[in-house]
């Protein structure tokens, strides 16, 4: 069963001068020649995105879209008409956002958070800024320490409101942010706390021991690349640690402590040093 607005793995059933037709259980869906991988043969399977072109024909492309069906992403407006705005979402055909689906009106060159949806009346993919009604923390299917996808939604006095897995809202506190982030950025994180009222606090990166294990290998690799010594320790500035290692000072201290106990590094007055194997 094919899915419009999503990526599909489809088999080649016919090759023509202007592209290939992919199996949809009926007459086939055209993948234009300009987007057909070289050497593609009948019976080969290719991953494509399905949408309607300007003539309302279902068509396939190997281009990467900025947002699939149901996804919320930041897009730039490329054209505005009395009926609505057109957003650049990575395809030759821009994504249309009807005027009724805009919050305060869009301008050319502006960037907006938009959710991709399938219009019931036309059967075409479109965009909407009015997606908050589809985001609810009433019924959660995540739990503490679960890895999640985070979309930076807006800034508050204590942190960033994030959209979690395109389903829920959460809060990323400023003390959990160790690099520059912007509205619309997508980052990996995990659920830190779920409160009794289903409000969620999140953190970036991975949780618990997995975070330390990943960081341990990174520290060892960086030491190997720098002649076994790095001028960083628990007295180093948190910003300097994050800039070099890409981790918080807390994670750095946990990681180096673990490596010290494993006798893989030693602490010096000015940094950390790789233990030489005997």
């Amino acid at each position: 069963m094919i899915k419009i607005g999503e990526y599909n793995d489809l088999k080649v059933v016919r090759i023509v001068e202007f592209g290939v037709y992919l199996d949809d259980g009926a007459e086939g869906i055209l993948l234009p020649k300009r987007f057909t991988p070289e050497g593609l043969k009948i019976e080969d399977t290719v991953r494509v995105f399905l949408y309607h072109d300007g003539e309302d024909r279902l068509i396939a492309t190997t281009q990467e879209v900025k947002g699939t069906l149901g996804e919320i992403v930041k897009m730039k407006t490329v054209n505005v008409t009395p009926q609505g705005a057109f957003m650049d979402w990575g395809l030759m055909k821009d994504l249309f956002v009807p005027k009724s689906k805009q919050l305060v009106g869009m301008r050319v060159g502006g960037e907006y958070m938009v959710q991709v949806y399938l219009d019931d009346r036309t059967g075409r993919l479109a965009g909407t800024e009015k997606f908050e009604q589809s985001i609810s923390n009433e019924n959660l299917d995540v739990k503490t320490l679960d890895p999640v996808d985070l979309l930076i939604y807006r800034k508050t006095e204590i942190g960033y409101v994030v959209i979690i897995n395109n389903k829920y809202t959460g809060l990323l506190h400023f003390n959990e942010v160790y690099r520059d982030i912007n509205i619309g950025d997508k980052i990996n994180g995990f659920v830190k706390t779920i409160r009794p009222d289903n409000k969620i606090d999140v953190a970036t990166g991975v949780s618990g021991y997995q975070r330390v294990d990943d960081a341990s290998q990174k520290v060892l690799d960086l030491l190997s690349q720098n002649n076994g010594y790095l001028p960083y320790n628990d007295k180093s500035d948190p910003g300097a640690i994050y800039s070099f290692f890409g981790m918080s000072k807390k994670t750095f201290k946990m990681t180096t402590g673990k490596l010290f106990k494993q006798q893989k590094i030693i602490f010096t007055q000015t940094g950390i040093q790789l233990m030489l194997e005997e």
Side-chain angles (χ1 to χ4, degrees), residues 106 109 116 215 231 260:
M106 295 176 163
V116 181
F260 176 75

Side-chain angles (χ1 to χ4, degrees), residues 197-259:
D197 58 1
N198 273 10
K199 289 184 178 179
I200 303 174
D201 290 333
V202 298
T204 59
V206 295
S207 63
Y209 291 110
Q210 183 184 352
R211 174 186 288 221
V212 174
D213 288 343
D214 291 349
S216 294
Q217 190 57 54
K218 188 171 188 178
V219 170
L220 292 174
D221 290 344
L222 287 168
L223 280 165
S224 298
Q225 295 164 17
N226 290 273
N227 298 317
Y229 171 78
L230 290 170
Y232 298 93
N233 56 27
D234 59 4
K235 296 183 177 62
S236 298
D237 177 74
I241 289 174
Y242 188 84
S243 178
F244 187 80
F245 293 95
M247 65 184 72
S248 69
K249 186 170 181 176
K250 179 180 178 181
T251 300
F252 173 78
K253 290 173 69 174
M254 291 172 59
T255 302
T256 52
K258 177 183 176 182
L259 291 173

Side-chain angles (χ1 to χ4, degrees), residues 16 21-22 47 50 69 100 110 112 114 162 164 169 256:
V16 293
Y21 279 92
L22 306 174
R47 188 169 181 80
L50 300 182
L69 182 63
S100 62
Y112 304 90
V114 171
V162 298
I164 303 168
T169 58
T256 52

